[in-house]
Amino acid sequence: MVSFKTRRREPELVPPARPTPRETKLLSDVDDQHALRYYETVIGFFRRCGDESDGPDDLAEVVRAALAEALVYYYPVAGRLREEAEGKLVVECTAEGVAFVEADADVRLEDFGEPLLPPYPCVEELLCDAGDTRTVIGRPLLLMQLTRLKCGGFVAGFHMCHSIADGFGIIQLMITIAELACGTKAPSILPVWKREILSTTRSTSPITHPNPSYEPLLNSLDYASESDDVMLSTTLDEMVVDYFVFGPREMKTLESYVRGCLTHPATSFELLTAVMWRCRTIALGYKPSQPVRLMITMNARGRWNRHTLIPLGYYGNAHFSPIAELTVDELCRQPLVDTVELVRRTKLSVTKECMESMVDTIASLRQRPCADPARTYEVSDTKWIAAGNGLQLGWAEYVGGGIPVAGDLTSKLGSDHMRCKNQDGEDSTVVSMLLPRPAMERFKKEMAVWLNKHDEKNLIIQSSL
């Protein structure tokens, strides 16, 4: 892999381009989860199009101006978080601005690899220093670094406070910046705040009947024995992250295990999640009688969720995490088709009534100790929120990116499913996996068996932390 250092200028605060309302904004109960008090990381790679004379002479100035204009519409992002009574967060819309860093790197886009896949070399060099990623109060809510490359391409790296926006919301803001950089007068999708739609109308005192999808989480918080999970006791410097690429050939092999056994064909997410949950559980060496959990981060937006109340343009957190639970023995002994069906049922459990109940449960948990649930595999399908054509700049095209295992690593214990092209140029899925080093070796061997591969090195792109 190529190695390089970026030359960064001093960070500067970019305020909204014009006066914006000075007010206090309430967050939703979904936003206000303690688990979301950190900076999420998103990165995008761009290739210059056409003649070298196309595009702006001063790229940083154009992007900086577009960022300032975007903050007129997303003005709460230019404010600061404040903690009120009982620890509830609010946004003070102060127009203080967001952090912007201009940088240069003596590498070309092709030096990052063809095809462009994670792990991206020296990814921390493409992101500005976010400091303590778990300290969000009184700090800029967005930190952006724009890195120019020798070939004329560039990289946009973002740290965004997760209490303000989810992955979809961050991409929506990125698209707005791109549109304004191209000279459009206003965003094609206007941002919507309306955080009250995901806030409870009842008391936040402990509820006697929590949503069933969250009962395993509540149980895990009450068990003193949960600390025996190697994922929670291993330090980050003893872990390794690898990325697993699944193209048409690999998916066909996995589909052969369930073909003809399902009422509806399995999606790639359902099939990969079922297999990787089983392999991960075996690799971590849990005892047969111990409960293991699958937590699926489900976005409440989209056509799949026709009952959703989420309006177009909503950029707050609009995701829920239903949980499935089995013992290790039950998970590893049942046919794969049963695990796939369990993944599917867990996904489909997020109905309108379920969402309302989950909001109540989330609100009641806000005062409880913040802890990672033990023996839990959290999975997010981020393929459908990929920027894709939404980040075309006319004089530059988006060629890859997503959520790297960088920045706040404590939030990366699960897996993100992302779009990519494999070595043959085929549409594929790349999945991140963070595990203790010995467990990773066992995980790769388990995956190689499912994929009928004699050499597990053909499956992964390694990246030691």
Side-chain angles (χ1 to χ4, degrees), residues 235-276:
T235 60
L236 287 171
D237 60 358
E238 296 176 311
M239 291 194 176
V240 61
V241 59
D242 284 335
Y243 295 83
F244 295 78
V245 179
F246 300 91
R249 185 178 305 124
E250 289 79 16
M251 293 309 304
K252 185 176 181 180
T253 299
L254 295 180
E255 287 163 3
S256 68
Y257 294 104
V258 298
R259 189 173 294 120
C261 301
L262 294 165
T263 306
H264 302 287
T267 66
S268 63
F269 176 80
E270 292 164 352
L271 190 52
L272 290 175
T273 296
V275 172
M276 297 184 83

mmCIF file of all heavy atoms in Angstrom, residues 235-276:
data_model
loop_
_atom_site.group_PDB
_atom_site.id
_atom_site.type_symbol
_atom_site.label_atom_id
_atom_site.label_comp_id
_atom_site.label_asym_id
_atom_site.label_seq_id
_atom_site.Cartn_x
_atom_site.Cartn_y
_atom_site.Cartn_z
ATOM 1 N N THR A 235 -8.542 -4.841 24.071
ATOM 2 C CA THR A 235 -8.232 -3.455 23.712
ATOM 3 C C THR A 235 -8.127 -3.315 22.200
ATOM 4 O O THR A 235 -7.849 -4.288 21.481
ATOM 5 C CB THR A 235 -6.919 -3.002 24.358
ATOM 6 O OG1 THR A 235 -5.854 -3.860 23.906
ATOM 7 C CG2 THR A 235 -7.015 -3.067 25.883
ATOM 8 N N LEU A 236 -8.343 -2.103 21.708
ATOM 9 C CA LEU A 236 -8.342 -1.875 20.262
ATOM 10 C C LEU A 236 -6.994 -2.186 19.622
ATOM 11 O O LEU A 236 -6.943 -2.606 18.466
ATOM 12 C CB LEU A 236 -8.746 -0.425 19.974
ATOM 13 C CG LEU A 236 -10.227 -0.094 20.195
ATOM 14 C CD1 LEU A 236 -10.457 1.400 20.093
ATOM 15 C CD2 LEU A 236 -11.106 -0.840 19.192
ATOM 16 N N ASP A 237 -5.905 -1.983 20.354
ATOM 17 C CA ASP A 237 -4.598 -2.261 19.748
ATOM 18 C C ASP A 237 -4.328 -3.764 19.609
ATOM 19 O O ASP A 237 -3.341 -4.159 18.997
ATOM 20 C CB ASP A 237 -3.476 -1.578 20.533
ATOM 21 C CG ASP A 237 -3.388 -2.046 21.984
ATOM 22 O OD1 ASP A 237 -4.225 -2.875 22.393
ATOM 23 O OD2 ASP A 237 -2.485 -1.570 22.698
ATOM 24 N N GLU A 238 -5.202 -4.594 20.176
ATOM 25 C CA GLU A 238 -5.076 -6.043 20.015
ATOM 26 C C GLU A 238 -6.095 -6.578 19.007
ATOM 27 O O GLU A 238 -6.284 -7.781 18.893
ATOM 28 C CB GLU A 238 -5.264 -6.743 21.368
ATOM 29 C CG GLU A 238 -4.188 -6.396 22.383
ATOM 30 C CD GLU A 238 -4.466 -7.029 23.741
ATOM 31 O OE1 GLU A 238 -5.607 -6.907 24.236
ATOM 32 O OE2 GLU A 238 -3.552 -7.637 24.294
ATOM 33 N N MET A 239 -6.763 -5.670 18.303
ATOM 34 C CA MET A 239 -7.756 -6.063 17.308
ATOM 35 C C MET A 239 -7.238 -5.756 15.906
ATOM 36 O O MET A 239 -6.288 -5.003 15.714
ATOM 37 C CB MET A 239 -9.076 -5.336 17.542
ATOM 38 C CG MET A 239 -9.814 -5.770 18.794
ATOM 39 S SD MET A 239 -11.526 -5.189 18.780
ATOM 40 C CE MET A 239 -12.149 -5.935 20.288
ATOM 41 N N VAL A 240 -7.904 -6.356 14.937
ATOM 42 C CA VAL A 240 -7.570 -6.130 13.538
ATOM 43 C C VAL A 240 -8.871 -5.969 12.773
ATOM 44 O O VAL A 240 -9.887 -6.572 13.119
ATOM 45 C CB VAL A 240 -6.737 -7.300 12.970
ATOM 46 C CG1 VAL A 240 -7.506 -8.603 13.026
ATOM 47 C CG2 VAL A 240 -6.272 -7.019 11.547
ATOM 48 N N VAL A 241 -8.847 -5.131 11.746
ATOM 49 C CA VAL A 241 -10.015 -4.975 10.878
ATOM 50 C C VAL A 241 -9.671 -5.551 9.509
ATOM 51 O O VAL A 241 -8.589 -5.315 8.975
ATOM 52 C CB VAL A 241 -10.447 -3.505 10.750
ATOM 53 C CG1 VAL A 241 -9.342 -2.619 10.189
ATOM 54 C CG2 VAL A 241 -11.686 -3.391 9.871
ATOM 55 N N ASP A 242 -10.576 -6.334 8.985
ATOM 56 C CA ASP A 242 -10.456 -6.825 7.617
ATOM 57 C C ASP A 242 -11.739 -6.501 6.870
ATOM 58 O O ASP A 242 -12.800 -6.306 7.485
ATOM 59 C CB ASP A 242 -10.223 -8.340 7.579
ATOM 60 C CG ASP A 242 -8.790 -8.717 7.940
ATOM 61 O OD1 ASP A 242 -7.894 -7.876 7.762
ATOM 62 O OD2 ASP A 242 -8.576 -9.858 8.397
ATOM 63 N N TYR A 243 -11.636 -6.434 5.554
ATOM 64 C CA TYR A 243 -12.786 -6.173 4.695
ATOM 65 C C TYR A 243 -12.985 -7.370 3.784
ATOM 66 O O TYR A 243 -12.042 -7.852 3.157
ATOM 67 C CB TYR A 243 -12.564 -4.907 3.859
ATOM 68 C CG TYR A 243 -12.461 -3.644 4.663
ATOM 69 C CD1 TYR A 243 -11.249 -3.266 5.253
ATOM 70 C CD2 TYR A 243 -13.562 -2.821 4.857
ATOM 71 C CE1 TYR A 243 -11.154 -2.103 5.997
ATOM 72 C CE2 TYR A 243 -13.462 -1.652 5.598
ATOM 73 C CZ TYR A 243 -12.258 -1.301 6.168
ATOM 74 O OH TYR A 243 -12.154 -0.153 6.905
ATOM 75 N N PHE A 244 -14.203 -7.845 3.704
ATOM 76 C CA PHE A 244 -14.523 -9.049 2.931
ATOM 77 C C PHE A 244 -15.371 -8.648 1.724
ATOM 78 O O PHE A 244 -16.411 -8.005 1.877
ATOM 79 C CB PHE A 244 -15.261 -10.049 3.818
ATOM 80 C CG PHE A 244 -14.412 -10.566 4.951
ATOM 81 C CD1 PHE A 244 -14.186 -9.804 6.081
ATOM 82 C CD2 PHE A 244 -13.802 -11.808 4.866
ATOM 83 C CE1 PHE A 244 -13.390 -10.263 7.114
ATOM 84 C CE2 PHE A 244 -13.002 -12.277 5.894
ATOM 85 C CZ PHE A 244 -12.795 -11.508 7.020
ATOM 86 N N VAL A 245 -14.923 -9.043 0.543
ATOM 87 C CA VAL A 245 -15.589 -8.680 -0.704
ATOM 88 C C VAL A 245 -16.382 -9.868 -1.227
ATOM 89 O O VAL A 245 -15.845 -10.973 -1.373
ATOM 90 C CB VAL A 245 -14.568 -8.211 -1.758
ATOM 91 C CG1 VAL A 245 -15.282 -7.852 -3.055
ATOM 92 C CG2 VAL A 245 -13.784 -7.010 -1.245
ATOM 93 N N PHE A 246 -17.669 -9.643 -1.504
ATOM 94 C CA PHE A 246 -18.555 -10.683 -2.000
ATOM 95 C C PHE A 246 -19.101 -10.247 -3.353
ATOM 96 O O PHE A 246 -19.937 -9.352 -3.448
ATOM 97 C CB PHE A 246 -19.706 -10.928 -1.027
ATOM 98 C CG PHE A 246 -19.247 -11.354 0.344
ATOM 99 C CD1 PHE A 246 -19.003 -10.408 1.331
ATOM 100 C CD2 PHE A 246 -19.050 -12.693 0.640
ATOM 101 C CE1 PHE A 246 -18.574 -10.787 2.596
ATOM 102 C CE2 PHE A 246 -18.622 -13.085 1.897
ATOM 103 C CZ PHE A 246 -18.383 -12.135 2.883
ATOM 104 N N GLY A 247 -18.594 -10.889 -4.397
ATOM 105 C CA GLY A 247 -19.079 -10.619 -5.746
ATOM 106 C C GLY A 247 -20.110 -11.658 -6.157
ATOM 107 O O GLY A 247 -20.540 -12.501 -5.363
ATOM 108 N N PRO A 248 -20.537 -11.636 -7.423
ATOM 109 C CA PRO A 248 -21.552 -12.584 -7.898
ATOM 110 C C PRO A 248 -21.178 -14.042 -7.664
ATOM 111 O O PRO A 248 -22.033 -14.864 -7.330
ATOM 112 C CB PRO A 248 -21.643 -12.261 -9.397
ATOM 113 C CG PRO A 248 -21.228 -10.825 -9.501
ATOM 114 C CD PRO A 248 -20.168 -10.648 -8.464
ATOM 115 N N ARG A 249 -19.889 -14.390 -7.809
ATOM 116 C CA ARG A 249 -19.480 -15.775 -7.638
ATOM 117 C C ARG A 249 -19.664 -16.220 -6.188
ATOM 118 O O ARG A 249 -20.191 -17.308 -5.907
ATOM 119 C CB ARG A 249 -18.018 -15.942 -8.059
ATOM 120 C CG ARG A 249 -17.530 -17.384 -8.032
ATOM 121 C CD ARG A 249 -16.093 -17.499 -8.492
ATOM 122 N NE ARG A 249 -15.921 -16.900 -9.811
ATOM 123 C CZ ARG A 249 -15.044 -15.932 -10.073
ATOM 124 N NH1 ARG A 249 -14.271 -15.468 -9.120
ATOM 125 N NH2 ARG A 249 -14.938 -15.436 -11.285
ATOM 126 N N GLU A 250 -19.231 -15.368 -5.242
ATOM 127 C CA GLU A 250 -19.366 -15.719 -3.826
ATOM 128 C C GLU A 250 -20.831 -15.793 -3.409
ATOM 129 O O GLU A 250 -21.238 -16.692 -2.656
ATOM 130 C CB GLU A 250 -18.626 -14.698 -2.949
ATOM 131 C CG GLU A 250 -17.116 -14.771 -3.016
ATOM 132 C CD GLU A 250 -16.518 -14.106 -4.246
ATOM 133 O OE1 GLU A 250 -17.248 -13.323 -4.913
ATOM 134 O OE2 GLU A 250 -15.351 -14.362 -4.556
ATOM 135 N N MET A 251 -21.644 -14.871 -3.910
ATOM 136 C CA MET A 251 -23.060 -14.877 -3.547
ATOM 137 C C MET A 251 -23.759 -16.121 -4.103
ATOM 138 O O MET A 251 -24.634 -16.699 -3.445
ATOM 139 C CB MET A 251 -23.744 -13.609 -4.054
ATOM 140 C CG MET A 251 -23.271 -12.321 -3.374
ATOM 141 S SD MET A 251 -23.301 -12.386 -1.563
ATOM 142 C CE MET A 251 -25.005 -12.815 -1.256
ATOM 143 N N LYS A 252 -23.366 -16.542 -5.289
ATOM 144 C CA LYS A 252 -23.973 -17.745 -5.869
ATOM 145 C C LYS A 252 -23.657 -18.966 -5.012
ATOM 146 O O LYS A 252 -24.518 -19.842 -4.806
ATOM 147 C CB LYS A 252 -23.461 -17.942 -7.297
ATOM 148 C CG LYS A 252 -24.125 -19.094 -8.037
ATOM 149 C CD LYS A 252 -23.642 -19.175 -9.476
ATOM 150 C CE LYS A 252 -24.329 -20.312 -10.219
ATOM 151 N NZ LYS A 252 -23.864 -20.401 -11.649
ATOM 152 N N THR A 253 -22.432 -19.028 -4.495
ATOM 153 C CA THR A 253 -22.062 -20.147 -3.625
ATOM 154 C C THR A 253 -22.896 -20.150 -2.361
ATOM 155 O O THR A 253 -23.424 -21.194 -1.941
ATOM 156 C CB THR A 253 -20.568 -20.056 -3.261
ATOM 157 O OG1 THR A 253 -19.781 -20.126 -4.447
ATOM 158 C CG2 THR A 253 -20.172 -21.198 -2.329
ATOM 159 N N LEU A 254 -23.057 -18.990 -1.720
ATOM 160 C CA LEU A 254 -23.846 -18.918 -0.488
ATOM 161 C C LEU A 254 -25.325 -19.193 -0.759
ATOM 162 O O LEU A 254 -26.003 -19.844 0.044
ATOM 163 C CB LEU A 254 -23.673 -17.548 0.163
ATOM 164 C CG LEU A 254 -22.260 -17.214 0.676
ATOM 165 C CD1 LEU A 254 -22.236 -15.820 1.293
ATOM 166 C CD2 LEU A 254 -21.790 -18.251 1.689
ATOM 167 N N GLU A 255 -25.827 -18.721 -1.878
ATOM 168 C CA GLU A 255 -27.238 -18.962 -2.221
ATOM 169 C C GLU A 255 -27.532 -20.446 -2.404
ATOM 170 O O GLU A 255 -28.665 -20.902 -2.190
ATOM 171 C CB GLU A 255 -27.597 -18.182 -3.493
ATOM 172 C CG GLU A 255 -27.722 -16.683 -3.277
ATOM 173 C CD GLU A 255 -27.676 -15.900 -4.579
ATOM 174 O OE1 GLU A 255 -27.596 -16.545 -5.655
ATOM 175 O OE2 GLU A 255 -27.701 -14.656 -4.516
ATOM 176 N N SER A 256 -26.515 -21.226 -2.765
ATOM 177 C CA SER A 256 -26.729 -22.653 -2.989
ATOM 178 C C SER A 256 -27.146 -23.372 -1.708
ATOM 179 O O SER A 256 -27.773 -24.436 -1.766
ATOM 180 C CB SER A 256 -25.461 -23.300 -3.559
ATOM 181 O OG SER A 256 -24.420 -23.322 -2.586
ATOM 182 N N TYR A 257 -26.814 -22.810 -0.550
ATOM 183 C CA TYR A 257 -27.172 -23.451 0.719
ATOM 184 C C TYR A 257 -28.651 -23.278 1.065
ATOM 185 O O TYR A 257 -29.182 -24.023 1.879
ATOM 186 C CB TYR A 257 -26.327 -22.860 1.858
ATOM 187 C CG TYR A 257 -24.857 -23.170 1.757
ATOM 188 C CD1 TYR A 257 -23.959 -22.190 1.334
ATOM 189 C CD2 TYR A 257 -24.357 -24.424 2.092
ATOM 190 C CE1 TYR A 257 -22.599 -22.452 1.238
ATOM 191 C CE2 TYR A 257 -22.996 -24.694 1.995
ATOM 192 C CZ TYR A 257 -22.123 -23.712 1.568
ATOM 193 O OH TYR A 257 -20.775 -23.981 1.476
ATOM 194 N N VAL A 258 -29.305 -22.282 0.472
ATOM 195 C CA VAL A 258 -30.703 -22.008 0.831
ATOM 196 C C VAL A 258 -31.631 -22.047 -0.373
ATOM 197 O O VAL A 258 -32.838 -21.828 -0.228
ATOM 198 C CB VAL A 258 -30.817 -20.625 1.530
ATOM 199 C CG1 VAL A 258 -30.015 -20.603 2.818
ATOM 200 C CG2 VAL A 258 -30.363 -19.485 0.609
ATOM 201 N N ARG A 259 -31.099 -22.320 -1.549
ATOM 202 C CA ARG A 259 -31.910 -22.289 -2.767
ATOM 203 C C ARG A 259 -33.050 -23.309 -2.669
ATOM 204 O O ARG A 259 -32.847 -24.470 -2.303
ATOM 205 C CB ARG A 259 -31.049 -22.582 -3.985
ATOM 206 C CG ARG A 259 -31.769 -22.347 -5.316
ATOM 207 C CD ARG A 259 -30.808 -22.482 -6.482
ATOM 208 N NE ARG A 259 -29.797 -21.422 -6.463
ATOM 209 C CZ ARG A 259 -28.489 -21.663 -6.377
ATOM 210 N NH1 ARG A 259 -28.036 -22.904 -6.292
ATOM 211 N NH2 ARG A 259 -27.633 -20.657 -6.379
ATOM 212 N N GLY A 260 -34.263 -22.842 -2.965
ATOM 213 C CA GLY A 260 -35.434 -23.698 -2.927
ATOM 214 C C GLY A 260 -36.023 -23.899 -1.548
ATOM 215 O O GLY A 260 -37.044 -24.583 -1.405
ATOM 216 N N CYS A 261 -35.419 -23.300 -0.534
ATOM 217 C CA CYS A 261 -35.889 -23.482 0.842
ATOM 218 C C CYS A 261 -36.606 -22.259 1.393
ATOM 219 O O CYS A 261 -37.147 -22.311 2.500
ATOM 220 C CB CYS A 261 -34.716 -23.821 1.759
ATOM 221 S SG CYS A 261 -33.823 -25.312 1.292
ATOM 222 N N LEU A 262 -36.613 -21.154 0.650
ATOM 223 C CA LEU A 262 -37.209 -19.906 1.120
ATOM 224 C C LEU A 262 -38.409 -19.532 0.261
ATOM 225 O O LEU A 262 -38.418 -19.771 -0.954
ATOM 226 C CB LEU A 262 -36.182 -18.760 1.075
ATOM 227 C CG LEU A 262 -34.989 -18.875 2.029
ATOM 228 C CD1 LEU A 262 -33.904 -17.889 1.616
ATOM 229 C CD2 LEU A 262 -35.424 -18.594 3.460
ATOM 230 N N THR A 263 -39.421 -18.960 0.885
ATOM 231 C CA THR A 263 -40.597 -18.492 0.144
ATOM 232 C C THR A 263 -40.211 -17.405 -0.841
ATOM 233 O O THR A 263 -40.683 -17.369 -1.987
ATOM 234 C CB THR A 263 -41.665 -17.956 1.109
ATOM 235 O OG1 THR A 263 -41.956 -18.949 2.090
ATOM 236 C CG2 THR A 263 -42.935 -17.587 0.366
ATOM 237 N N HIS A 264 -39.335 -16.483 -0.391
ATOM 238 C CA HIS A 264 -38.812 -15.411 -1.243
ATOM 239 C C HIS A 264 -37.293 -15.483 -1.219
ATOM 240 O O HIS A 264 -36.701 -15.776 -0.174
ATOM 241 C CB HIS A 264 -39.282 -14.043 -0.745
ATOM 242 C CG HIS A 264 -40.772 -13.897 -0.679
ATOM 243 N ND1 HIS A 264 -41.547 -13.761 -1.798
ATOM 244 C CD2 HIS A 264 -41.624 -13.883 0.378
ATOM 245 C CE1 HIS A 264 -42.819 -13.661 -1.450
ATOM 246 N NE2 HIS A 264 -42.895 -13.741 -0.127
ATOM 247 N N PRO A 265 -36.632 -15.226 -2.341
ATOM 248 C CA PRO A 265 -35.169 -15.288 -2.363
ATOM 249 C C PRO A 265 -34.560 -14.372 -1.308
ATOM 250 O O PRO A 265 -35.076 -13.286 -1.030
ATOM 251 C CB PRO A 265 -34.821 -14.820 -3.783
ATOM 252 C CG PRO A 265 -36.061 -15.071 -4.588
ATOM 253 C CD PRO A 265 -37.208 -14.856 -3.655
ATOM 254 N N ALA A 266 -33.464 -14.802 -0.724
ATOM 255 C CA ALA A 266 -32.782 -13.990 0.283
ATOM 256 C C ALA A 266 -32.076 -12.819 -0.380
ATOM 257 O O ALA A 266 -31.522 -12.945 -1.473
ATOM 258 C CB ALA A 266 -31.773 -14.846 1.042
ATOM 259 N N THR A 267 -32.106 -11.682 0.272
ATOM 260 C CA THR A 267 -31.301 -10.544 -0.188
ATOM 261 C C THR A 267 -29.849 -10.812 0.178
ATOM 262 O O THR A 267 -29.546 -11.649 1.040
ATOM 263 C CB THR A 267 -31.768 -9.237 0.458
ATOM 264 O OG1 THR A 267 -31.504 -9.295 1.876
ATOM 265 C CG2 THR A 267 -33.259 -8.998 0.232
ATOM 266 N N SER A 268 -28.946 -10.081 -0.466
ATOM 267 C CA SER A 268 -27.523 -10.252 -0.135
ATOM 268 C C SER A 268 -27.265 -9.899 1.321
ATOM 269 O O SER A 268 -26.460 -10.553 1.998
ATOM 270 C CB SER A 268 -26.659 -9.389 -1.061
ATOM 271 O OG SER A 268 -26.941 -8.006 -0.887
ATOM 272 N N PHE A 269 -27.964 -8.889 1.844
ATOM 273 C CA PHE A 269 -27.778 -8.505 3.236
ATOM 274 C C PHE A 269 -28.213 -9.625 4.169
ATOM 275 O O PHE A 269 -27.516 -9.963 5.129
ATOM 276 C CB PHE A 269 -28.561 -7.229 3.548
ATOM 277 C CG PHE A 269 -28.498 -6.820 4.999
ATOM 278 C CD1 PHE A 269 -27.397 -6.144 5.495
ATOM 279 C CD2 PHE A 269 -29.538 -7.119 5.868
ATOM 280 C CE1 PHE A 269 -27.321 -5.788 6.831
ATOM 281 C CE2 PHE A 269 -29.486 -6.756 7.201
ATOM 282 C CZ PHE A 269 -28.371 -6.090 7.687
ATOM 283 N N GLU A 270 -29.370 -10.211 3.913
ATOM 284 C CA GLU A 270 -29.880 -11.277 4.780
ATOM 285 C C GLU A 270 -28.945 -12.481 4.775
ATOM 286 O O GLU A 270 -28.634 -13.050 5.832
ATOM 287 C CB GLU A 270 -31.283 -11.691 4.319
ATOM 288 C CG GLU A 270 -32.341 -10.625 4.539
ATOM 289 C CD GLU A 270 -33.622 -10.867 3.763
ATOM 290 O OE1 GLU A 270 -33.651 -11.803 2.921
ATOM 291 O OE2 GLU A 270 -34.596 -10.134 3.984
ATOM 292 N N LEU A 271 -28.491 -12.874 3.596
ATOM 293 C CA LEU A 271 -27.650 -14.058 3.477
ATOM 294 C C LEU A 271 -26.271 -13.829 4.096
ATOM 295 O O LEU A 271 -25.775 -14.656 4.876
ATOM 296 C CB LEU A 271 -27.523 -14.426 2.003
ATOM 297 C CG LEU A 271 -26.875 -15.767 1.661
ATOM 298 C CD1 LEU A 271 -27.531 -16.900 2.417
ATOM 299 C CD2 LEU A 271 -26.962 -16.001 0.157
ATOM 300 N N LEU A 272 -25.651 -12.696 3.774
ATOM 301 C CA LEU A 272 -24.325 -12.411 4.324
ATOM 302 C C LEU A 272 -24.378 -12.240 5.838
ATOM 303 O O LEU A 272 -23.488 -12.707 6.560
ATOM 304 C CB LEU A 272 -23.745 -11.156 3.672
ATOM 305 C CG LEU A 272 -23.335 -11.290 2.207
ATOM 306 C CD1 LEU A 272 -22.901 -9.941 1.643
ATOM 307 C CD2 LEU A 272 -22.211 -12.312 2.056
ATOM 308 N N THR A 273 -25.418 -11.576 6.335
ATOM 309 C CA THR A 273 -25.534 -11.372 7.773
ATOM 310 C C THR A 273 -25.677 -12.699 8.500
ATOM 311 O O THR A 273 -25.045 -12.928 9.544
ATOM 312 C CB THR A 273 -26.732 -10.462 8.088
ATOM 313 O OG1 THR A 273 -26.493 -9.167 7.518
ATOM 314 C CG2 THR A 273 -26.930 -10.308 9.588
ATOM 315 N N ALA A 274 -26.498 -13.608 7.961
ATOM 316 C CA ALA A 274 -26.694 -14.912 8.583
ATOM 317 C C ALA A 274 -25.388 -15.695 8.649
ATOM 318 O O ALA A 274 -25.027 -16.254 9.697
ATOM 319 C CB ALA A 274 -27.754 -15.701 7.812
ATOM 320 N N VAL A 275 -24.650 -15.743 7.551
ATOM 321 C CA VAL A 275 -23.404 -16.503 7.509
ATOM 322 C C VAL A 275 -22.349 -15.863 8.411
ATOM 323 O O VAL A 275 -21.670 -16.547 9.194
ATOM 324 C CB VAL A 275 -22.892 -16.618 6.062
ATOM 325 C CG1 VAL A 275 -21.498 -17.237 6.038
ATOM 326 C CG2 VAL A 275 -23.845 -17.444 5.217
ATOM 327 N N MET A 276 -22.198 -14.548 8.326
ATOM 328 C CA MET A 276 -21.133 -13.886 9.080
ATOM 329 C C MET A 276 -21.421 -13.892 10.580
ATOM 330 O O MET A 276 -20.495 -13.953 11.392
ATOM 331 C CB MET A 276 -20.914 -12.468 8.548
ATOM 332 C CG MET A 276 -20.452 -12.452 7.097
ATOM 333 S SD MET A 276 -20.075 -10.816 6.422
ATOM 334 C CE MET A 276 -18.395 -10.585 7.018
#
